[in-house]
Amino acid sequence: MRFTLSSTALSNKLNMLAKVIGGKNSLPILDCFLFQVAGGEMTITASDSDNILKTTIELTECDGEGEFCIPNKVILESLKELPEQPLDFDIDTEGTLAIKILYQNGLYNFTAQSADEYPRTQSVNDAAHTVAIDADVLIDNITRTLFATANDQLRPVMNGIYFDLTPESLNIVASDGHKLVRNKNFTIKSDTPAAFDLPKKPATLLKNILSREEGDVTIKFDEKSAEILFTDGSLRCILYEGKYPSYNSVIPNNPNEVTVDRRALISALRRVMPFASESSQLVRLKIDNNHMEVSSEDVDFATSAKEQLVCESNNTNMSIGFKGSSLQEILNNLSSEQVIIQLADPSRAGIIVPAEQPENEDVLMLLMPMLLND
């Protein structure tokens, strides 16, 4: 079998696929890329057994069909230093699987591995639900929620991003029990409610490999797996099983609202955080009408810091404590100039929302308070 293709195109595709390959695979063959040549194009697959990433490349010339596997380090290292040029592959698919790759000034000779050992998977079943999401919206929502996922071995369902399709909206949710993010998209809805829990690794892969100019991304999912189709290829992954907690029931209706400049609050937190207790990272927000005092202290080392900010509030007068690093994460994952902090009392969760919501979306972030030693 012989075929020709662009070195840059192949290198780009392989570097994208390499993100899915695990450091320690259960099957040695999963350290390889699977190459399948048919109909004038080549499909390349990478997998860690739970996640399968595929992409397709058009071949400049092609004579024959077949499939073979190449260890990822061998092919990635050999292509890394090559400038853009045509690569001519010559593979003995009927015998020893010897491969010759001819390029402008040289030749690579090595042996491929049999594709027979590479695990094959079935597509999602015929009863699968389908949802189409604009790539730009999907990237933003994954980026906005990924930081709030848990690392809980006892409740793995909390480690993923929960996609909840309702008659009103698509809700994309993540929570670790201390913080929660809920994104509502009102342009995507379904008369038949459906949901799936996307694990952290495929979510991170999508965030890193999708392009904002991608157009619509189609997600097909059933009870056990999801298949995500995009312009450059497809990602199939095993889903978390189990019932996701009722996230709406933990969101309080807080009457007090404080509007503050997001960047100013982030800057203040950065300045006072070094003086907070290293173990608790407790930061106090003291709100007195249109003033906010951000403070921290470490009693053990006799250090403290405080800073004044201007804010707008509806006659709110209270103090509340939050874990400073978590509050920073929430503020860093919002994009509006100003944020609204909704409060009730020092023992109830605080709600943080952007002053200007993204178009056709409703973004809400929740943070549990910490006990103040007054």
Side-chain angles (χ1 to χ4, degrees), residues 283-337:
V283 170
R284 177 198 297 260
L285 303 183
K286 184 179 180 182
I287 299 135
D288 184 4
N289 290 328
N290 293 328
H291 290 88
M292 177 186 289
E293 182 183 275
V294 183
S295 64
S296 66
E297 68 173 338
D298 188 339
V299 176
D300 294 337
F301 291 94
T303 63
S304 65
K306 63 174 64 175
E307 188 165 325
Q308 302 288 335
L309 293 176
V310 175
C311 64
E312 296 177 16
S313 70
N314 53 351
N315 297 317
T316 303
N317 191 339
M318 65 177 290
S319 291
I320 189 168
F322 291 115
K323 186 174 182 178
S325 58
S326 297
L327 183 55
Q328 275 185 297
E329 282 184 311
I330 284 176
L331 295 170
N332 284 328
N333 282 282
L334 292 170
S335 56
S336 62
E337 291 292 323

Side-chain angles (χ1 to χ4, degrees), residues 181-194:
V181 179
R182 185 195 66 188
N183 304 279
K184 285 187 174 184
N185 188 300
F186 298 107
T187 62
I188 304 169
K189 56 189 77 173
S190 171
D191 292 335
T192 306

Side-chain angles (χ1 to χ4, degrees), residues 84 105-106 145 178 210 218 240 248 255 289 315-316 328 342 363:
E84 164 57 26
N105 297 310
T145 52
H178 299 285
L210 286 178
T218 302
Y240 285 136
N248 283 317
N289 290 328
N315 297 317
T316 303
Q328 275 185 297
Q342 299 171 353
V363 178

Side-chain angles (χ1 to χ4, degrees), residues 120-179:
R120 311 301 162 108
T121 56
Q122 297 178 344
S123 298
V124 292
N125 64 46
D126 295 336
H129 300 273
T130 301
V131 59
I133 309 176
D134 182 80
D136 199 24
V137 172
L138 183 58
I139 293 168
D140 284 342
N141 278 269
I142 290 176
T143 303
R144 205 181 285 136
T145 52
L146 203 53
F147 81 95
T149 55
N151 291 299
D152 191 335
Q153 293 183 346
L154 298 178
R155 291 194 302 168
V157 70
M158 301 296 290
N159 300 342
I161 297 177
Y162 187 60
F163 286 70
D164 188 13
L165 197 56
T166 73
E168 293 79 32
S169 61
L170 171 64
N171 302 336
I172 300 177
V173 183
S175 176
D176 63 2
H178 299 285
K179 52 186 179 288

